[in-house]
Structure formats: structure tokens, C-alpha cells
């Protein structure tokens, strides 16, 4: 199918997935309030567009850790991405490469990091969950450097696995199988700032910390030599009752004060959402569920198509705001208001509710 909108991609994903896999994708922790807040937060910012600026050419290209980006988007790490389409991480990698954005590979995916680097060479970030001791971690980091990874991402909001009631109530264990018991998180839960200092002192690869939720931790990241601060609440899949990530962004950007790039994810589904993140100071925006929806709708070509549609949405939004270059996006172009619709995980696609 020739997809012309992201809504059509989301609709097809729903049709293609079993209830178990669909719930794994859209679900979150406990009452799922963090998911709804993410989306409510994004909807709470509206534009203050400027008129009569020349926008015959609009630029949304940038770079991240020295890698050129056609769009300031990172494909966020999605564990078990192979459950959405059998090519798994390789399908995402090919689409990211062809379009020109960076993929963050989750360590619970197939193909695994070394095989993927061989299969689809190119810049890529590797995200790790600690499933072993320090020697185990050191070995994996050394191998990821050897395999040519651009940066290394440690996810710090998953010290234990949350209670995802959609899965629990169906007695469903997602294929990554990580939901079994808190004991399985022994290594992940013993991760501390010392782990960060250890990695920084031993390895020469940019380090990204994912899961920053307050300015104080952003400050501590920078003080510890972290190279990228990644604001995230894991798409509302870990701690329930968190603030929307877009609402955390301004205090983190202020704390980091331009010393390192800041990435944000959580509820960003559309081109206009990306523009809002950039206005608030993010260097790049991570796309989680949108990437997985595109995978479910048809794998690599649909991930590529979703990126093309996102780009079209970003460029259109910027032109209508009177902004011709992403470097000119700033907080003055936004204002906070009360959203007009009820927020939920798919509320970025309101036409689906009307039966389109
Ligand atoms: C199905 C699924 C699997 C995920 N797996 C991982 C993972 O393995 N590692 C990780 O750091 N984050 C993981 N995340 C969180 C995403 O990287 C990202 O933070 C989140 O999806 C962003 O929110 P969004 O889905 O609203 O875009 C996962 C998210 C989803 C939806």
C-alpha cells in the first residue's frame, strides 16, 4: 500500500498485530498515566507562528555526534522489534540508513549488535541492559567499539521491570521474556553513577544516558562526563505517574546549558511534535512506538515511508511557522495551553477514532 499519512500506517499496524503483541506495543506500567501524560504534554504546547518570512526553502538537516541527520530524529531502542516484523533490527537499520537518521539498537533484539553491524554497516548507537557483571559489560562495550558503533547508550530508568498490567492480566510474557522476576534485574538494579564513571574512565566512545527525568540528574550526567543526556520515561512503560517528557525538557536543557546534546522521547508521533521538541531545546527527538507501528505495518519500506512522511510534516510545519532553518527554532515560538482533546497513546491519530 502506498501510505500517504502516518494515520494509515498506525491503522494497518493494528490490523496486522495479534492482541498480545499490540498490547505489548501500546501498553505501559500500572495505570498507564505516564503514557497519557506524555501525549497530553505534547498537546499542551501550541505554536506562535511568524508571518511574512521567506520560506521557499526549508532546512531540517542537522548532525548528531558528527553524523549527518536528514531529520533530527533518532529511532529509539525497541526491544524484541522482531515481533513486529521478522527482519527485526535489520529492517529498522536499513530504513534508517536509506533515509539518513540514526538507529539506537536495543540489546534485546535480533540480529544482535555484531551481526547487525556486519549486515548493515553504518553509524548506529548501541543500547545496553546490564545482564552481567562489570567484566561482562566491559566485554560488550569493547566489542561494540570494535564493531564500529557511534555511541553507547545506557538505559537508566529500568532498574527493575515494571508491572505491565495488559500483559500480566493475560498471563502473557513478551518474547524478550524480561517480565519474569525482579531477581532477573540483579545487574541492572545494581547500576549506579559509579558504572557511569567506570565506563567514562575506561572507554573512548560517546556515552548516552537514557531515562533522565530531572535537572539534577542531567547536571550530574554532565559532571560525570556523559556525552548525551536523553530525557525519557521509557514511553510510560516503567515508572507510572511521571511528568510528560516534553515538560521535563526545559529544565534539563537549562541545566545542561549547551554543554552536551539533549535528546527527548515520549509521545512524539508527528512532525509537529518533533518541531515542538526542537523549539524547547532538544538536539534530536526519539521515536519509539511510531517506529514499531511502521514495522508492524510492513517492515523496512514502511519505516522508510514513515520517515518521509515525518519529514514532510516537519518541513510543512516549519514553513507555516515562518521558519526556514531548524537552528532558528526557539521557545518563543511556543505557548502552553490546555489541550482540546483527551490524551491517549494513539491520540496523535484522531481520524482513526472516526473510522478512517
Ligand atoms: C515495544 C517497546 C520496546 C521498548 N524497548 C526498549 C529497549 O529495549 N530499551 C530501551 O532503552 N527502551 C525501550 N523502549 C522505550 C523506547 O526506547 C522509548 O523510550 C519510548 O518508546 C518513547 O516513547 P514513544 O513510544 O511514545 O515514542 C521500548 C518501547 C517500546 C514501545
Amino acid at each position: 500500500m502506498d501510505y500517504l499519512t502516518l494515520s494509515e500506517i498506525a491503522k494497518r499496524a493494528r490490523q496486522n498485530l495479534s492482541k498480545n503483541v499490540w498490547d505489548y506495543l501500546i501498553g505501559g506500567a500500572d495505570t498507564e498515566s505516564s503514557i497519557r501524560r506524555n501525549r497530553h504534554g505534547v498537546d499542551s504546547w501550541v505554536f506562535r507562528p511568524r508571518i511574512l518570512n521567506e520560506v521557499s526553502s526549508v532546512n531540517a538537516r542537522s548532525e548528531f555526534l558528527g553524523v549527518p541527520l536528514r531529520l533530527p530524529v533518532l529511532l529509539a531502542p525497541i526491544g524484541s522489534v522482531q515481533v513486529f516484523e521478522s527482519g527485526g533490527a535489520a529492517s529498522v537499520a536499513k530504513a534508517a540508513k536509506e533515509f539518513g537518521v540514526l538507529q539506537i539498537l536495543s540489546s534485546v533484539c535480533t540480529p544482535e549488535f555484531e551481526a547487525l553491524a556486519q549486515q548493515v554497516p553504518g553509524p548506529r548507537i548501541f543500547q545496553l541492559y546490564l545482564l552481567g557483571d562489570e567484566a561482562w559489560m566491559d566485554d560488550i562495550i569493547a566489542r561494540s567499539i570494535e564493531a564500529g558503533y557511534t555511541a553507547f547508550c545506557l538505559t537508566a530508568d529500568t532498574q527493575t521491570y515494571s508491572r505491565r498490567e495488559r500483559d500480566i492480566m493475560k498471563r502473557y510474557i513478551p518474547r524478550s521474556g524480561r517480565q519474569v522476576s525482579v531477581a532477573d534485574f540483579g545487574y541492572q538494579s545494581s547500576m549506579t553513577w559509579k558504572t557511569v564513571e567506570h565506563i567514562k574512565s575506561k572507554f573512548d566512545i560517546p556515552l548516552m544516558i537514557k531515562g533522565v527525568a530531572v535537572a539534577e540528574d542531567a547536571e550530574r550526567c554532565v559532571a560525570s562526563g556523559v556525552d548525551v543526556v536523553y530525557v525519557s520515561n521509557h514511553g510510560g512503560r516503567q515508572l507510572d505517574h511521571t511528568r510528560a517528557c516534553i515538560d521535563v525538557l526545559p529544565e534539563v536543557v537549562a541545566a545542561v546549558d549547551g554543554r552536551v546534546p539533549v535528546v527527548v522521547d515520549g509521545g512524539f508521533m508527528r512532525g509537529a511534535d518533533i518541531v515542538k521538541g526542537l523549539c524547547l531545546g532538544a538536539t534530536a527527538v526519539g521515536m519509539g512506538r511510531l517506529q514499531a507501528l511502521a514495522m508492524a505495518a510492513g517492515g523496512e519500506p514502511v519505516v522508510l515511508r514513515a520517515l518521509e512522511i515525518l519529514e514532510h510534516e516537519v518541513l510543512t510545519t516549519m514553513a507555516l511557522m515562518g521558519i526556514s532553518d531548524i537552528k532558528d527554532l526557539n521557545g518563543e515560538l511556543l505557548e502552553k495551553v490546555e489541550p482540546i482533546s483527551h490524551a491517549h497513546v494513539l491520540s496523535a491519530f484522531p481520524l482513526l477514532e472516526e473510522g478512517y
Side-chain angles (χ1 to χ4, degrees), residues 135-180:
W136 178 89
M137 178 183 78
D138 286 358
D139 176 55
I140 302 258
I141 300 177
R143 284 163 51 199
S144 67
I145 294 171
E146 184 66 22
Y149 279 80
T150 308
F152 183 71
C153 172
L154 213 52
T155 296
D157 58 17
T158 310
Q159 303 280 92
T160 189
Y161 196 81
S162 61
R163 290 177 52 79
R164 308 210 181 146
E165 288 202 4
R166 287 174 193 258
D167 298 337
I168 296 170
M169 289 179 77
K170 288 180 301 194
R171 311 304 190 251
Y172 173 67
I173 298 180
R175 206 178 291 176
S176 62
R178 291 184 303 109
Q179 168 219 27
V180 243

Side-chain angles (χ1 to χ4, degrees), residues 24-25 76-79 84 106 108 127 129 155 210 232 234-235 237 265-267 287-289:
Y24 166 66
L25 166 56
I78 298 288
F84 305 116
S106 163
V108 281
Q127 175 267 326
Y129 287 123
T155 296
K210 178 170 184 278
S232 177
H234 216 106
R237 296 163 78 80
D265 74 17
M287 314 295 292
R289 288 188 182 82

Side-chain angles (χ1 to χ4, degrees), residues 160-350:
T160 189
Y161 196 81
S162 61
R163 290 177 52 79
R164 308 210 181 146
E165 288 202 4
R166 287 174 193 258
D167 298 337
I168 296 170
M169 289 179 77
K170 288 180 301 194
R171 311 304 190 251
Y172 173 67
I173 298 180
R175 206 178 291 176
S176 62
R178 291 184 303 109
Q179 168 219 27
V180 243
S181 91
V182 170
D184 295 337
F185 277 75
Y187 293 110
Q188 187 74 13
S189 60
S190 58
M191 201 164 77
T192 67
W193 290 102
K194 282 205 176 110
T195 317
V196 172
E197 283 150 23
H198 170 81
I199 296 171
K200 281 308 298 176
S201 67
K202 190 154 181 184
F203 296 101
D204 187 18
I205 184 169
L207 175 63
M208 171 185 262
I209 297 294
K210 178 170 184 278
V212 173
V214 294
E216 297 88 318
D217 281 343
E219 181 61 55
R220 182 124 190 218
C221 280
V222 178
S224 307
V226 166
D227 302 274
V228 179
V229 170
Y230 192 152
V231 175
S232 177
N233 59 10
H234 216 106
R237 296 163 78 80
Q238 283 299 112
L239 181 64
D240 199 10
H241 305 290
T242 62
R243 287 184 288 166
C245 295
I246 198 170
D247 289 335
V248 172
L249 187 58
E251 72 176 49
V252 166
V253 166
V256 167
D257 196 22
R259 289 174 289 174
V260 298
V262 175
V263 175
V264 66
D265 74 17
F268 294 83
M269 293 288 212
R270 308 285 294 239
D273 306 343
I274 295 170
V275 174
K276 291 179 189 182
L278 300 176
C279 283
L280 292 172
T283 306
V285 174
M287 314 295 292
R289 288 188 182 82
L290 183 70
Q291 173 199 154
L293 288 167
M295 277 290 280
E300 178 199 341
V302 184
V303 177
L304 177 61
R305 188 74 192 109
L307 287 165
E308 289 168 352
I309 297 171
L310 267 184
E311 181 183 44
H312 196 199
E313 289 185 348
V314 167
L315 296 177
T316 306
T317 302
M318 286 174 60
L320 294 174
M321 288 168 74
I323 300 293
S324 59
D325 196 300
I326 51 169
K327 70 174 172 12
D328 296 326
L329 293 172
N330 64 74
E332 302 280 298
L333 295 160
L334 289 185
E335 182 175 328
K336 209 157 189 199
V337 297
E338 195 52 41
I340 50 167
S341 55
H342 166 70
H344 58 89
V345 65
L346 291 178
S347 57
F349 309 111

